[in-house]
Amino acid sequence: MRTFGTTACIVALTLAGCSNESAESPVSESAAPAETAQDAPSTEADASEESTQPQETTEAMSDDAPFVYVTLTTNKGDMVVELDRENAPITVANFLQYVEEGHYNNTVFHRLTKGGIFVIQGGGFGPGMQRKATRDPIVNEASNGLSNIRGTLSMARTNDPNSATSQFFITVYDNVQLDRNPASAGYA
């Protein structure tokens, strides 16, 4: 199991994983989680800036296992996220590379949204809301059949579907409007 530390401004979150449910109604991408060059930290709740230390990991993992488990260590407790390497190989490889590089250590959840789309977003800012450098963006894999249901971890992006780098969001409620559909490239 891989681990990294981040700062959370939530008390608890239950992760439910991904499903193969399909989207029923499209919505505007403008309300969706975004990662933009002008993405100033905007929250509807205060983002905590307490730092945490990553936990060491000693558990070996097969590089061809269909699922990868990562422990997200926060100042409010640990969350284990399940990454679907079989259906989202580029997205999982990207996320794991940031984990391996220590990119997520001492980052903050800088966006907590409510009203329509419910997510917590992090992975792009360190203490003092300092933007962290990223690698090149990845290709959007939202056509893989997975759905943004409660507990799903997806990569944030700009209006360009192929712009995701390090920022990710976790859905707090079902957000199937973020799935690929005729009006949106979706989020993977």
Side-chain angles (χ1 to χ4, degrees):
M1 188 173 315
R2 299 165 192 225
T3 62
F4 67 93
T6 190
T7 301
C9 35
I10 57 171
V11 176
L13 176 70
T14 303
L15 297 178
C18 298
S19 91
N20 290 323
E21 294 178 20
S22 62
E24 294 182 15
S25 62
V27 293
S28 164
E29 288 187 28
S30 64
E35 178 179 354
T36 66
Q38 299 81 27
D39 188 20
S42 63
T43 62
E44 294 185 22
D46 293 330
S48 170
E49 293 189 29
E50 296 176 32
S51 64
T52 61
Q53 298 301 314
Q55 296 179 353
E56 292 298 318
T57 182
T58 56
E59 196 172 318
M61 183 181 320
S62 168
D63 286 338
D64 61 351
F67 295 97
V68 179
Y69 299 89
V70 177
T71 300
L72 185 91
T73 301
T74 76
N75 61 330
K76 301 295 182 184
D78 292 351
M79 294 181 274
V80 177
V81 294
E82 178 183 81
L83 306 174
D84 189 339
R85 188 187 336 233
E86 187 172 334
N87 289 302
I90 295 168
T91 303
V92 170
N94 176 66
F95 187 82
L96 291 177
Q97 187 173 354
Y98 280 112
V99 170
E100 297 283 333
E101 293 170 351
H103 178 88
Y104 296 124
N105 294 345
N106 299 314
T107 57
V108 296
F109 282 110
H110 66 277
R111 177 168 287 147
L112 307 170
T113 64
K114 57 185 178 182
I117 296 179
F118 298 91
V119 301
I120 59 172
Q121 184 173 333
F125 296 94
M129 301 312 292
Q130 294 297 310
R131 181 178 292 279
K132 296 191 80 169
T134 63
R135 295 187 318 276
D136 290 337
I138 60 170
V139 173
N140 184 324
E141 296 181 291
S143 62
N144 59 15
L146 299 176
S147 185
N148 286 284
I149 61 167
R150 180 176 176 249
T152 303
L153 184 146
S154 297
M155 300 308 292
R157 62 172 176 77
T158 66
N159 285 334
D160 175 355
N162 299 313
S163 62
T165 57
S166 68
Q167 291 189 38
F168 64 91
F169 62 91
I170 299 171
T171 59
V172 181
Y173 297 104
D174 290 353
N175 285 305
V176 296
Q177 66 271 31
L178 299 178
D179 295 350
R180 184 180 181 106
N181 62 62
S184 171
Y187 292 78

